[in-house]
PDB file of all heavy atoms in Angstrom:
ATOM      1  N   GLN A1499     101.524 105.847  73.116  1.00 97.00           N
ATOM      2  CA  GLN A1499     101.037 104.890  74.090  1.00 97.00           C
ATOM      3  C   GLN A1499     102.122 103.862  74.380  1.00 97.00           C
ATOM      4  O   GLN A1499     102.907 103.499  73.499  1.00 97.00           O
ATOM      5  CB  GLN A1499      99.778 104.163  73.586  1.00 97.00           C
ATOM      6  CG  GLN A1499      98.535 105.024  73.532  1.00 97.00           C
ATOM      7  CD  GLN A1499      97.307 104.230  73.144  1.00 97.00           C
ATOM      8  OE1 GLN A1499      97.345 103.414  72.227  1.00 97.00           O
ATOM      9  NE2 GLN A1499      96.203 104.453  73.843  1.00 97.00           N
ATOM     10  N   GLN A1500     102.154 103.421  75.629  1.00 97.00           N
ATOM     11  CA  GLN A1500     102.957 102.265  75.979  1.00 97.00           C
ATOM     12  C   GLN A1500     102.062 101.040  75.874  1.00 97.00           C
ATOM     13  O   GLN A1500     100.952 101.025  76.396  1.00 97.00           O
ATOM     14  CB  GLN A1500     103.510 102.397  77.392  1.00 97.00           C
ATOM     15  CG  GLN A1500     104.473 103.559  77.574  1.00 97.00           C
ATOM     16  CD  GLN A1500     104.897 103.721  79.010  1.00 97.00           C
ATOM     17  OE1 GLN A1500     105.023 102.737  79.731  1.00 97.00           O
ATOM     18  NE2 GLN A1500     105.102 104.961  79.430  1.00 97.00           N
ATOM     19  N   VAL A1501     102.555 100.030  75.195  1.00 98.00           N
ATOM     20  CA  VAL A1501     101.771  98.816  74.947  1.00 98.00           C
ATOM     21  C   VAL A1501     102.501  97.634  75.576  1.00 98.00           C
ATOM     22  O   VAL A1501     103.711  97.478  75.405  1.00 98.00           O
ATOM     23  CB  VAL A1501     101.577  98.582  73.441  1.00 98.00           C
ATOM     24  CG1 VAL A1501     100.735  97.333  73.194  1.00 98.00           C
ATOM     25  CG2 VAL A1501     100.928  99.803  72.787  1.00 98.00           C
ATOM     26  N   ARG A1502     101.748  96.829  76.298  1.00 97.00           N
ATOM     27  CA  ARG A1502     102.329  95.635  76.924  1.00 97.00           C
ATOM     28  C   ARG A1502     101.756  94.391  76.276  1.00 97.00           C
ATOM     29  O   ARG A1502     100.538  94.263  76.114  1.00 97.00           O
ATOM     30  CB  ARG A1502     102.029  95.611  78.415  1.00 97.00           C
ATOM     31  CG  ARG A1502     102.691  94.482  79.191  1.00 97.00           C
ATOM     32  CD  ARG A1502     102.211  94.439  80.638  1.00 97.00           C
ATOM     33  NE  ARG A1502     102.220  95.751  81.254  1.00 97.00           N
ATOM     34  CZ  ARG A1502     101.560  96.057  82.363  1.00 97.00           C
ATOM     35  NH1 ARG A1502     100.820  95.134  82.978  1.00 97.00           N
ATOM     36  NH2 ARG A1502     101.600  97.275  82.861  1.00 97.00           N
ATOM     37  N   GLU A1503     102.644  93.469  75.941  1.00 98.00           N
ATOM     38  CA  GLU A1503     102.241  92.158  75.459  1.00 98.00           C
ATOM     39  C   GLU A1503     102.730  91.119  76.452  1.00 98.00           C
ATOM     40  O   GLU A1503     103.883  91.155  76.886  1.00 98.00           O
ATOM     41  CB  GLU A1503     102.819  91.865  74.069  1.00 98.00           C
ATOM     42  CG  GLU A1503     102.222  92.723  72.966  1.00 98.00           C
ATOM     43  CD  GLU A1503     102.755  92.345  71.594  1.00 98.00           C
ATOM     44  OE1 GLU A1503     103.643  91.460  71.525  1.00 98.00           O
ATOM     45  OE2 GLU A1503     102.288  92.934  70.603  1.00 98.00           O
ATOM     46  N   VAL A1504     101.846  90.210  76.810  1.00 98.00           N
ATOM     47  CA  VAL A1504     102.179  89.131  77.737  1.00 98.00           C
ATOM     48  C   VAL A1504     101.933  87.812  77.033  1.00 98.00           C
ATOM     49  O   VAL A1504     100.820  87.551  76.555  1.00 98.00           O
ATOM     50  CB  VAL A1504     101.347  89.225  79.027  1.00 98.00           C
ATOM     51  CG1 VAL A1504     101.677  88.055  79.950  1.00 98.00           C
ATOM     52  CG2 VAL A1504     101.611  90.549  79.733  1.00 98.00           C
ATOM     53  N   ASN A1505     102.979  87.008  76.930  1.00 97.00           N
ATOM     54  CA  ASN A1505     102.904  85.722  76.230  1.00 97.00           C
ATOM     55  C   ASN A1505     102.323  85.883  74.826  1.00 97.00           C
ATOM     56  O   ASN A1505     101.504  85.092  74.366  1.00 97.00           O
ATOM     57  CB  ASN A1505     102.085  84.721  77.045  1.00 97.00           C
ATOM     58  CG  ASN A1505     102.721  84.401  78.379  1.00 97.00           C
ATOM     59  OD1 ASN A1505     103.938  84.532  78.557  1.00 97.00           O
ATOM     60  ND2 ASN A1505     101.910  83.988  79.340  1.00 97.00           N
ATOM     61  N   GLY A1506     102.760  86.970  74.172  1.00 97.00           N
ATOM     62  CA  GLY A1506     102.378  87.200  72.789  1.00 97.00           C
ATOM     63  C   GLY A1506     101.051  87.887  72.577  1.00 97.00           C
ATOM     64  O   GLY A1506     100.680  88.155  71.432  1.00 97.00           O
ATOM     65  N   GLU A1507     100.315  88.190  73.649  1.00 97.00           N
ATOM     66  CA  GLU A1507      99.021  88.841  73.514  1.00 97.00           C
ATOM     67  C   GLU A1507      99.045  90.219  74.156  1.00 97.00           C
ATOM     68  O   GLU A1507      99.568  90.394  75.257  1.00 97.00           O
ATOM     69  CB  GLU A1507      97.917  87.995  74.161  1.00 97.00           C
ATOM     70  CG  GLU A1507      97.695  86.658  73.491  1.00 97.00           C
ATOM     71  CD  GLU A1507      96.517  85.913  74.090  1.00 97.00           C
ATOM     72  OE1 GLU A1507      95.798  86.513  74.930  1.00 97.00           O
ATOM     73  OE2 GLU A1507      96.314  84.749  73.734  1.00 97.00           O
ATOM     74  N   GLU A1508      98.466  91.209  73.458  1.00 97.00           N
ATOM     75  CA  GLU A1508      98.398  92.550  74.015  1.00 97.00           C
ATOM     76  C   GLU A1508      97.458  92.573  75.212  1.00 97.00           C
ATOM     77  O   GLU A1508      96.330  92.098  75.138  1.00 97.00           O
ATOM     78  CB  GLU A1508      97.913  93.531  72.947  1.00 97.00           C
ATOM     79  CG  GLU A1508      97.856  94.966  73.428  1.00 97.00           C
ATOM     80  CD  GLU A1508      97.395  95.925  72.348  1.00 97.00           C
ATOM     81  OE1 GLU A1508      97.918  95.863  71.214  1.00 97.00           O
ATOM     82  OE2 GLU A1508      96.479  96.731  72.639  1.00 97.00           O
ATOM     83  N   THR A1509      97.934  93.162  76.313  1.00 97.00           N
ATOM     84  CA  THR A1509      97.134  93.197  77.532  1.00 97.00           C
ATOM     85  C   THR A1509      96.873  94.609  78.037  1.00 97.00           C
ATOM     86  O   THR A1509      95.878  94.835  78.723  1.00 97.00           O
ATOM     87  CB  THR A1509      97.814  92.395  78.657  1.00 97.00           C
ATOM     88  OG1 THR A1509      99.110  92.969  78.928  1.00 97.00           O
ATOM     89  CG2 THR A1509      97.972  90.940  78.262  1.00 97.00           C
ATOM     90  N   VAL A1510      97.759  95.549  77.754  1.00 96.00           N
ATOM     91  CA  VAL A1510      97.643  96.880  78.335  1.00 96.00           C
ATOM     92  C   VAL A1510      98.058  97.927  77.312  1.00 96.00           C
ATOM     93  O   VAL A1510      99.041  97.750  76.577  1.00 96.00           O
ATOM     94  CB  VAL A1510      98.542  97.025  79.589  1.00 96.00           C
ATOM     95  CG1 VAL A1510      98.541  98.466  80.096  1.00 96.00           C
ATOM     96  CG2 VAL A1510      98.083  96.087  80.694  1.00 96.00           C
ATOM     97  N   ARG A1511      97.289  99.038  77.283  1.00 96.00           N
ATOM     98  CA  ARG A1511      97.676 100.244  76.551  1.00 96.00           C
ATOM     99  C   ARG A1511      97.582 101.406  77.528  1.00 96.00           C
ATOM    100  O   ARG A1511      96.540 101.611  78.140  1.00 96.00           O
ATOM    101  CB  ARG A1511      96.762 100.515  75.347  1.00 96.00           C
ATOM    102  CG  ARG A1511      97.095  99.678  74.142  1.00 96.00           C
ATOM    103  CD  ARG A1511      96.200  99.999  72.951  1.00 96.00           C
ATOM    104  NE  ARG A1511      96.708  99.294  71.786  1.00 96.00           N
ATOM    105  CZ  ARG A1511      97.522  99.815  70.890  1.00 96.00           C
ATOM    106  NH1 ARG A1511      97.885 101.085  71.011  1.00 96.00           N
ATOM    107  NH2 ARG A1511      97.964  99.104  69.872  1.00 96.00           N
ATOM    108  N   ILE A1512      98.660 102.169  77.637  1.00 95.00           N
ATOM    109  CA  ILE A1512      98.717 103.257  78.600  1.00 95.00           C
ATOM    110  C   ILE A1512      99.150 104.527  77.879  1.00 95.00           C
ATOM    111  O   ILE A1512     100.143 104.540  77.160  1.00 95.00           O
ATOM    112  CB  ILE A1512      99.714 102.940  79.737  1.00 95.00           C
ATOM    113  CG1 ILE A1512      99.332 101.617  80.412  1.00 95.00           C
ATOM    114  CG2 ILE A1512      99.762 104.072  80.751  1.00 95.00           C
ATOM    115  CD1 ILE A1512     100.396 101.077  81.321  1.00 95.00           C
ATOM    116  N   GLY A1513      98.381 105.615  78.051  1.00 96.00           N
ATOM    117  CA  GLY A1513      98.703 106.868  77.399  1.00 96.00           C
ATOM    118  C   GLY A1513      97.590 107.302  76.472  1.00 96.00           C
ATOM    119  O   GLY A1513      96.727 106.520  76.084  1.00 96.00           O
ATOM    120  N   ARG A1514      97.616 108.582  76.089  1.00 95.00           N
ATOM    121  CA  ARG A1514      96.489 109.115  75.330  1.00 95.00           C
ATOM    122  C   ARG A1514      96.525 108.763  73.858  1.00 95.00           C
ATOM    123  O   ARG A1514      95.504 108.812  73.169  1.00 95.00           O
ATOM    124  CB  ARG A1514      96.416 110.623  75.479  1.00 95.00           C
ATOM    125  CG  ARG A1514      97.586 111.416  74.908  1.00 95.00           C
ATOM    126  CD  ARG A1514      97.280 112.892  74.973  1.00 95.00           C
ATOM    127  NE  ARG A1514      98.431 113.733  74.706  1.00 95.00           N
ATOM    128  CZ  ARG A1514      98.363 115.054  74.624  1.00 95.00           C
ATOM    129  NH1 ARG A1514      97.204 115.668  74.781  1.00 95.00           N
ATOM    130  NH2 ARG A1514      99.434 115.771  74.400  1.00 95.00           N
ATOM    131  N   GLY A1515      97.694 108.427  73.313  1.00 92.00           N
ATOM    132  CA  GLY A1515      97.772 108.082  71.910  1.00 92.00           C
ATOM    133  C   GLY A1515      97.557 109.278  71.011  1.00 92.00           C
ATOM    134  O   GLY A1515      97.646 110.437  71.434  1.00 92.00           O
TER     135      GLY A1515
END
Side-chain angles (χ1 to χ4, degrees):
Q1499 289 185 316
Q1500 296 175 34
V1501 181
R1502 185 187 313 163
E1503 291 184 356
V1504 178
N1505 297 335
E1507 296 185 7
E1508 182 179 312
T1509 60
V1510 173
R1511 280 182 172 265
I1512 304 168
R1514 64 173 168 175

